């Protein structure tokens, strides 16, 4: 593994040669995660790829993350809205590429995500967990379920209850496939040979537009219901509806409201759900870790349902969750555009090229993690991990565009981990191939079949 060395300005970063015309496109389309991991192992912290005529650099070192996301963030900007996730989320908080209007949005929404406010939402999180376990209780011991779908449902329940005071559980069956279709579309298009306008009637475009329509229907129903009720709930939806432009006093357009709501709705459940699915996958393969987790839960909770207030007293639960976030970051790499030619550690990054900051590779970087690919919650015990680079662990990114939902995700994730592990053992159905698939987020490709065995 090569580490970073000061290079002469203007050098070309190393990387796989690729094929004539298409460059490395085929590898990316086949397995982007594997391609990035392999190239990191072979070439080191900065790797150059070609996707057709476009240049892309994979970047994987905490010091480089510090440069790209914090110290020189004005040189590495969000992708233009018509190219990436913006096709799905429009001008919402994640995809807005205009610094000033993004800052206004962020300041408006930030209070909703303050720790105190989230703690007050704890009851709603517990209630959603209880609804899920209540459903499970009606099933026989050893029932087989796709646990990835279960996690998607419970986190959808939580995000809509906490942020929009609404119940969309009956829609869960439509939301999952629609989110999967749109994120697949966006990520395949990003590494595709040609980018036809979305309005053209190709089968992929049609499927994308249909899935977007499904999500729009659900989001607009939430908005219209609240407007019709005329009542306030003190939630994010109220905040968005009440927001006024500082210059002209106007409220948000319907389109902007839709973009903000859909952003929180999608980013706020899919990521946490995937993290929890990976947690069950890891725990099923490490029964000794599950046993220690359950021992902590039994001794601290003595059989009662955990609450947010219990989390500080459940250090091993936190360690397990952190270790899953390290090995399976739900957003494994984040894209940035390089508008003007610049250099990074001496390597030339051409104007209009792209960066993929690989959180996945950073969090498995052998310079910072011993036995990097091993699931070992003990590495989080005590103060050990605090001695290393702050950005060697960065599942929520860093700098101004850091995840706004990081505290919510941590509370919710640890709480659900505790509730489910307290209730049952989850075993993997033998014979299935569990492979990660990245379509913006990282999920088990074909779901995760597990059997549920209540403990008492
Ligand atoms: C384990 C769960 C989660 C992970 C791993 C995660 C990860 C991330 C990452 C890496 C980014 C940076 C993206 C970039 O800059 O390109 C991000 C941004 C964001 N996340 Fe999360 N996220 C999680 C949960 C949540 C939740 C629960 C919410 C909402 C309630 C949320 C809402 C957002 C938003 C709105 C942004 C954009 C922030 C901005 O640009 O100002 N995320 N997230």
């Amino acid at each position: 593994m090569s580490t970073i060395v000061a290079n002469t300005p203007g050098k070309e970063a190393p990387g796989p040669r690729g094929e004539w015309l298409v460059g490395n496109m085929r590898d990316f389309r086949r397995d982007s995660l594997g391609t990035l991991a392999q190239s990191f192992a072979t070439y080191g912290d900065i790797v150059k790829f070609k996707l057709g005529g476009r240049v892309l650099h994979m970047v994987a070192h905490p010091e480089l993350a510090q440069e790209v996301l914090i110290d020189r963030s004005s040189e590495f900007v969000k992708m233009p809205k018509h190219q990436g996730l913006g096709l799905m989320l429009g001008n919402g908080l994640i995809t807005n590429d205009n610094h000033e209007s993004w800052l206004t949005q962020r300041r408006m929404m930030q209070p909703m995500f303050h720790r105190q406010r989230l703690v007050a939402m704890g009851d709603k999180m517990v209630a959603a967990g209880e609804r899920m376990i209540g459903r499970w209780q009606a099933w026989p011991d050893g029932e087989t379920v796709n646990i990835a779908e279960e996690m998607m449902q419970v986190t959808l329940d939580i995000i809509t209850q906490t942020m929009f005071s609404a119940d969309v559980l009956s829609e869960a069956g439509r939301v999952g496939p629609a989110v999967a279709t749109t994120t697949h579309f966006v990520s395949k298009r990003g590494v595709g040979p040609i980018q036809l306008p979305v309005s053209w009637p190709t089968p992929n475009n049609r499927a994308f537009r249909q899935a977007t329509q499904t999500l729009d229907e659900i989001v607009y129903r939430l908005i219209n219901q609240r407007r019709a009720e005329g009542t306030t709930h003190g939630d994010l939806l109220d905040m968005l509806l009440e927001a006024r432009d500082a210059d002209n006093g106007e409220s948000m357009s319907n389109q902007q409201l839709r973009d903000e709501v859909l952003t929180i709705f999608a980013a706020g459940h899919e990521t946490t759900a995937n993290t929890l699915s990976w947690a069950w996958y890891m725990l099923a393969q490490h029964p000794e870790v599950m046993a220690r987790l359950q021992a902590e839960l039994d001794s601290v909770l003595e059989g009662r349902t955990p609450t947010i207030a219990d989390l500080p007293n459940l250090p091993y639960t936190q360690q397990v969750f952190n270790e899953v976030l390290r090995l399976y970051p739900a957003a494994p790499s984040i894209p940035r555009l390089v508008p003007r030619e610049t250099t990074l550690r001496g390597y030339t990054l051409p104007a209009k090229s792209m960066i993929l900051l690989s959180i996945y590779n950073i969090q498995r970087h052998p310079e910072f993690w011993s036995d990097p690919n091993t699931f070992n919650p003990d590495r989080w015990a005590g103060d050990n991990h605090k001695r290393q680079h702050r950005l060697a662990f960065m599942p929520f990114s860093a700098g101004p565009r850091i995840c706004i939902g990081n505290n919510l995700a941590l509370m919710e994730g640890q709480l659900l981990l505790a509730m489910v592990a307290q209730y049952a053992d989850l075993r993997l159905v033998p014979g299935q191939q569990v492979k990660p698939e990245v379509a913006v987020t990282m999920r088990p490709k074909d779901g995760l079949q597990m059997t549920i065995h209540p403990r008492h």
Side-chain angles (χ1 to χ4, degrees):
M1 178 62 48
S2 69
T3 50
I4 299 175
V5 286
N7 297 290
T8 346
K11 267 175 69 171
E12 189 177 330
R17 265 178 74 85
E19 300 167 89
W20 185 63
L21 280 181
V22 290
N24 312 100
M25 199 172 273
R26 222 196 295 250
D27 289 338
F28 267 83
R29 284 177 77 81
R30 189 180 39 80
D31 175 13
S32 62
L33 188 76
T35 301
L36 292 175
Q38 183 83 55
S39 65
F40 173 56
T42 311
Y43 300 102
D45 302 328
I46 303 187
V47 183
K48 181 179 174 184
F49 294 96
K50 275 191 145 180
L51 300 178
R54 285 169 296 162
V55 173
L56 178 147
H57 285 91
M58 188 280 302
V59 172
H61 192 284
E63 281 167 15
L64 296 173
Q66 169 82 29
E67 280 194 57
V68 169
L69 297 172
I70 301 171
D71 303 341
R72 297 168 57 197
S73 62
S74 61
E75 288 178 62
F76 306 103
V77 300
K78 283 270 175 170
M79 300 301 290
K81 280 189 282 293
H82 61 274
Q83 268 188 31
L85 202 51
L87 288 169
M88 173 188 177
L89 302 178
N91 203 34
L93 190 63
I94 292 189
T95 39
N96 186 348
D97 55 349
N98 175 293
H99 184 77
E100 267 179 34
S101 67
W102 162 78
L103 194 58
T104 310
Q105 280 168 297
R106 177 99 189 191
R107 286 190 176 139
M108 186 235 309
M109 291 198 221
Q110 192 73 59
M112 205 63 214
F113 294 91
H114 282 159
R115 202 177 284 271
Q116 289 303 342
R117 203 118 180 206
L118 296 175
V119 168
M121 297 171 194
D123 291 349
K124 289 184 173 178
M125 297 185 204
V126 174
E130 282 178 330
R131 273 192 286 280
M132 175 176 69
I133 291 175
R135 255 187 312 113
W136 291 3
Q137 277 165 341
W139 297 340
D141 187 339
E143 178 79 358
T144 301
V145 296
N146 180 350
I147 206 77
E149 265 173 24
E150 293 295 314
M151 295 301 111
M152 222 45 109
Q153 262 198 44
V154 69
T155 55
L156 180 68
D157 197 6
I158 290 179
I159 199 69
T160 48
Q161 293 285 350
T162 53
M163 294 290 142
F164 312 123
S165 313
D167 178 359
V168 297
L169 263 192
S170 58
E171 304 275 16
R174 295 168 77 208
V175 173
V179 169
T181 302
T182 44
T183 50
H184 269 108
F185 178 85
V186 166
S187 60
K188 284 276 179 261
R189 190 179 154 93
V191 292
I194 32 170
Q195 305 191 330
L196 296 175
V198 177
S199 56
W200 289 23
T202 63
N204 281 344
N205 280 354
R206 268 209 215 104
F208 172 71
R209 287 207 308 271
Q210 208 160 36
T212 309
Q213 209 177 338
T214 301
L215 295 173
D216 280 0
E217 255 173 55
I218 295 167
V219 163
Y220 278 123
R221 197 174 321 136
L222 285 178
I223 297 171
N224 293 337
Q225 258 170 16
R226 178 64 57 85
R227 279 192 167 134
E229 274 173 19
T231 47
T232 55
H233 293 258
D235 59 8
L236 185 73
L237 192 50
D238 277 350
M239 256 183 187
L240 297 171
L241 285 165
E242 284 159 16
R244 293 291 175 270
D245 187 293
D247 295 329
N248 58 24
E250 280 181 13
S251 53
M252 247 182 233
S253 69
N254 265 345
Q255 178 67 44
Q256 185 65 34
L257 259 175
R258 172 266 183 211
D259 292 349
E260 302 294 12
V261 171
L262 182 56
T263 294
I264 297 299
F265 183 82
H269 83 279
E270 230 249 342
T271 42
T272 315
N274 288 327
T275 310
L276 284 162
S277 295
W278 291 118
W280 302 124
Y281 179 57
M282 283 290 105
L283 288 168
Q285 292 170 89
H286 295 85
E288 72 293 351
V289 175
M290 184 63 154
R292 258 179 84 184
L293 177 64
Q294 289 173 331
E296 174 176 273
L297 296 169
D298 292 346
S299 84
V300 174
L301 302 169
E302 295 177 325
R304 69 179 167 76
T305 305
T307 67
I308 293 291
D310 292 311
L311 297 181
N313 303 320
L314 298 171
Y316 195 65
T317 310
Q318 289 176 33
Q319 285 176 224
V320 170
F321 198 67
N322 270 357
E323 185 64 348
V324 177
L325 281 169
R326 183 184 73 81
L327 281 179
Y328 294 96
S333 55
I334 53 178
R336 290 293 184 267
L337 180 73
V338 184
R340 278 169 296 282
E341 180 177 308
T342 187
T343 56
L344 192 62
R345 288 294 156 100
Y347 292 123
T348 300
L349 308 184
K352 300 203 175 84
S353 64
M354 256 178 83
I355 277 186
L356 266 188
L357 186 76
S358 175
I359 295 177
Y360 181 91
N361 286 340
I362 288 176
Q363 295 187 160
R364 292 173 183 236
H365 200 305
E367 212 181 290
F368 299 91
W369 303 98
S370 59
D371 245 339
N373 297 320
T374 302
F375 179 70
N376 173 17
D378 272 337
R379 65 173 90 237
W380 297 96
D383 280 347
N384 286 350
H385 60 282
K386 290 189 183 148
R387 280 194 283 276
Q388 66 184 6
H389 197 292
R390 190 173 65 89
L391 298 186
F393 179 63
M394 48 167 299
F396 299 106
S397 182
R401 303 297 294 246
I402 191 172
C403 177
I404 201 170
N406 57 357
N407 288 326
L408 172 59
L410 288 173
M411 278 183 199
E412 173 189 0
Q414 288 166 18
L415 185 71
L416 290 170
L417 191 64
M419 287 181 84
V420 172
Q422 181 191 41
Y423 171 66
D425 292 313
L426 303 183
R427 296 187 200 135
L428 279 171
V429 172
Q432 61 183 317
Q433 263 225 333
V434 180
K435 281 178 68 179
E437 170 188 62
V438 179
V440 185
T441 54
M442 176 162 55
R443 58 191 76 142
K445 185 166 183 289
D446 301 308
L448 194 56
Q449 300 297 325
M450 300 191 86
T451 51
I452 302 180
H453 306 269
R455 296 174 63 219
H456 301 292

